[in-house]
Amino acid sequence: MKLTDNTKSTLEIGDHIPVFSLKNQDNELWNSTENTSGYLSVVYFYPKDESAICTKEACAFRDSFTAFTDIGAQVVGINSGSVESHKKFALKNNLPFTLLSDSEGKALKKFGVKNALFTSGRETFIFDKEGVLIYKFRNFFKGDAHVEKALNFLKTRS
């Protein structure tokens, strides 16, 4: 089933990446259609820059970044933090991948990421080179598990 509107509660395997544009940590506009076309794309949502679990998750993506790029995948993190917050977070933790500011929660809603406790959820989506969802994983408390699960999934496809 293809995603055709914004009323769907969550993305399902086989859905296309939602169309959205957000600013990255360098204050540049990043468009989902243009920036994922032709790439395996690992898009992960996380609640907050600098929180313990989120930092552990981001650093795990950083530490495995070469493994992702060797497979031909790009990594993109998204949350409601500001461009400035993302820039500081990326610099402090030497993050080599894109962080997108979804301050209005538009991408969060389009992906159907569920809230957990009193904050946005933690969920990872992998899209193939045509922008079709091929894998998703949700676990709020195990941020580093997202990296392991995503990388293992991609390695089994190679």
Side-chain angles (χ1 to χ4, degrees):
M1 178 184 300
K2 303 297 176 225
L3 186 63
T4 57
D5 60 32
N6 295 338
T7 61
K8 192 165 191 169
S9 61
T10 189
L11 290 182
E12 299 296 337
I13 302 301
D15 288 341
H16 283 274
I17 189 166
V19 176
F20 65 93
S21 294
L22 298 172
K23 295 278 183 120
N24 68 14
Q25 71 264 36
D26 296 319
N27 204 33
E28 299 166 340
L29 194 61
W30 191 96
N31 177 282
S32 64
T33 305
E34 294 170 13
N35 291 100
T36 61
S37 181
Y39 295 97
L40 281 170
S41 299
V42 178
V43 179
Y44 80 98
F45 287 83
Y46 65 105
K48 189 172 192 261
D49 294 341
E50 301 298 346
S51 68
I53 296 173
C54 295
T55 300
K56 186 175 182 179
E57 179 181 24
C59 289
F61 272 114
R62 176 201 64 206
D63 295 345
S64 297
F65 186 70
T66 301
F68 281 105
T69 58
D70 286 350
I71 292 170
Q74 66 176 331
V75 176
V76 178
I78 304 176
N79 81 3
S80 63
S82 68
V83 168
E84 297 78 19
S85 173
H86 285 348
K87 183 72 170 180
K88 289 177 188 173
F89 186 53
L91 289 172
K92 180 178 179 182
N93 294 289
N94 298 309
L95 305 179
F97 50 85
T98 300
L99 296 177
L100 299 176
S101 174
D102 187 21
S103 59
E104 296 177 14
K106 290 179 181 178
L108 192 93
K109 288 177 188 166
K110 287 185 175 195
F111 279 74
V113 175
K114 307 292 184 216
N115 285 348
L117 305 174
F118 300 104
T119 186
S120 65
R122 182 181 319 280
E123 194 161 351
T124 298
F125 300 86
I126 300 177
F127 296 90
D128 68 12
K129 293 179 180 184
E130 288 75 42
V132 175
L133 181 63
I134 55 175
Y135 179 82
K136 66 180 187 173
F137 177 72
R138 177 184 297 145
N139 187 308
F140 187 72
F141 293 106
K142 295 184 178 180
D144 53 340
H146 287 254
V147 178
E148 180 183 340
K149 298 275 189 185
L151 198 51
N152 285 342
F153 174 80
L154 289 170
K155 284 180 179 178
T156 62
R157 293 189 78 237
S158 304

